[in-house]
Amino acid sequence: YVVEELDVQNSIYEVPLELARQELDVKTLDLLRLDRRTLDLADYLAWLDGVLHPTRECTIAVVGKYIKHQDAYKSIYEALNHAGIANNAKIRFLKVEAEELEKGDPARILKEADGILVPGGFGGRGVPGKVRAVEYARTRKIPFLGICLGMQCAVIEFARNVLGWQDANSTEFDPDTAHAVIDLMAGQRGVTEKGGTMRLGSYPCRFRPGSRSAELYGVSETGERHRHRYEFNPAFRARLAEAGLAATGTSPDDRLVEVVELEADHPYFIGCQFHPEFKSRPRKAHPLFNGLVAAALQHRQGR
């Protein structure tokens, strides 16, 4: 069994190296009756150095409706931290109650944001504030990621302010809107129990070749986790795409829209119907979070 000595000066390496010298891992493997293996700490220690000593930083505004609850967006914050590690950056969080944006000035509230993330949620409370956050990110060209309800708010905002459909909405909030850009699918309408209408668990997503999301993922298809009821309404898909908000990720049969992207001149504007935060890992940041943080760092540098 070989412990490869690493030429390091930083004190962060002392503890793992000392444990290796004492063969803690070997003794643990022997105790568990597992085969001994060669130890290589180089990759882990390089990652640990990035965790403890980032050389850059950026501020990400999280605009949610449950901000006052400390753990409500725990997975979001952790996924952003994973992306920070991948980009050798410290993430500072600007936690914004969505309802504050309904009356307050977004330019004042979000002025420190290098990137804006609008997470999921249920019900109409705070949605107008989320929509204002989306508008601010779109018009000011601030990197943006919308997740689940955040993606739906991006579609609503674009339909209202770009296509001019002032009543555009989700039927979750306005059942009588003439421009139901977010709606229940036909097969869900007869189900009265809310849980029965939800799309839960892993579903496949196929990316349009050449799209930003395809570039970020590096694959043509992936699986992502869902927890929602309402969907992007395919009846409005063509009109939205013509105006610049394209569906770049869909179900393999092309019926369900999973990802939308702003195709105009914008550094990063993506909305996804699924929850990418649930697949992010400390040593493997999720592509959409990684892309958001990378764009936020560029935005900060260009200020």
Side-chain angles (χ1 to χ4, degrees), residues 120-122 147-152 172 182-185 188 194-203 224-232 256-258 272-275 278:
F122 291 92
I147 296 175
C148 200
L149 178 59
M151 174 265 219
Q152 296 175 2
E172 181 181 6
I182 306 296
D183 198 4
L184 289 174
M185 299 299 287
Q188 297 171 304
K194 285 188 176 182
T197 64
M198 293 188 74
R199 187 149 66 103
L200 294 168
S202 180
Y203 285 82
E224 292 284 4
R225 293 172 61 182
H226 295 67
R227 188 176 186 274
H228 65 97
R229 288 193 294 274
Y230 290 79
E231 305 276 358
F232 182 110
L256 299 173
V257 172
E258 299 282 13
C272 58
Q273 185 59 76
F274 46 78
H275 288 270
F278 295 147

Side-chain angles (χ1 to χ4, degrees), residues 43-274:
D43 182 60
Y44 168 75
L45 294 176
W47 171 82
L48 183 60
D49 190 40
V51 173
L52 300 179
H53 301 99
T55 59
R56 303 186 289 174
E57 70 174 46
C58 65
T59 298
I60 304 295
V62 178
V63 182
K65 55 196 295 182
Y66 315 120
I67 289 292
K68 66 181 180 180
H69 301 294
Q70 182 175 350
D71 292 335
Y73 301 113
K74 179 65 173 176
S75 297
I76 296 288
Y77 301 139
E78 290 300 312
L80 285 168
N81 281 326
H82 301 162
I85 295 168
N87 286 276
N88 198 24
K90 178 178 178 59
I91 306 300
R92 299 192 181 278
F93 298 110
L94 177 61
K95 300 180 180 181
V96 179
E97 283 283 359
E99 288 175 291
E100 291 182 19
L101 288 170
E102 295 179 20
K103 299 178 181 179
D105 179 13
R108 176 184 60 81
I109 297 172
L110 298 171
K111 65 180 180 179
E112 300 299 326
D114 301 307
I116 296 174
L117 189 151
V118 178
F122 291 92
R125 183 181 65 81
V127 168
K130 290 190 174 192
V131 170
R132 292 195 75 188
V134 174
E135 181 183 14
Y136 182 81
R138 180 179 61 81
T139 58
R140 301 294 182 96
K141 296 184 179 180
I142 298 174
F144 167 81
L145 176 61
I147 296 175
C148 200
L149 178 59
M151 174 265 219
Q152 296 175 2
C153 287
V155 175
I156 292 169
E157 188 279 327
F158 190 88
R160 289 177 181 176
N161 297 322
V162 177
L163 286 170
W165 301 339
Q166 292 303 311
D167 70 330
N169 215 330
S170 167
T171 52
E172 181 181 6
F173 316 129
D174 182 4
D176 300 320
T177 176
H179 295 93
V181 292
I182 306 296
D183 198 4
L184 289 174
M185 299 299 287
Q188 297 171 304
R189 297 182 184 281
V191 182
T192 57
E193 295 295 330
K194 285 188 176 182
T197 64
M198 293 188 74
R199 187 149 66 103
L200 294 168
S202 180
Y203 285 82
C205 173
R206 181 172 296 170
F207 301 111
R208 191 186 72 188
S211 63
R212 173 68 68 85
S213 51
E215 176 186 348
L216 289 167
Y217 275 85
V219 296
S220 60
E221 185 173 318
T222 190
E224 292 284 4
R225 293 172 61 182
H226 295 67
R227 188 176 186 274
H228 65 97
R229 288 193 294 274
Y230 290 79
E231 305 276 358
F232 182 110
N233 190 342
F236 298 97
R237 180 172 166 181
R239 291 290 304 278
L240 288 163
E242 289 171 4
L245 188 67
T248 58
T250 64
S251 57
D253 62 8
D254 204 42
R255 290 180 60 250
L256 299 173
V257 172
E258 299 282 13
V259 181
V260 296
E261 295 181 26
L262 188 63
E263 297 196 307
D265 181 22
H266 196 285
Y268 192 90
F269 190 101
I270 295 179
C272 58
Q273 185 59 76
F274 46 78

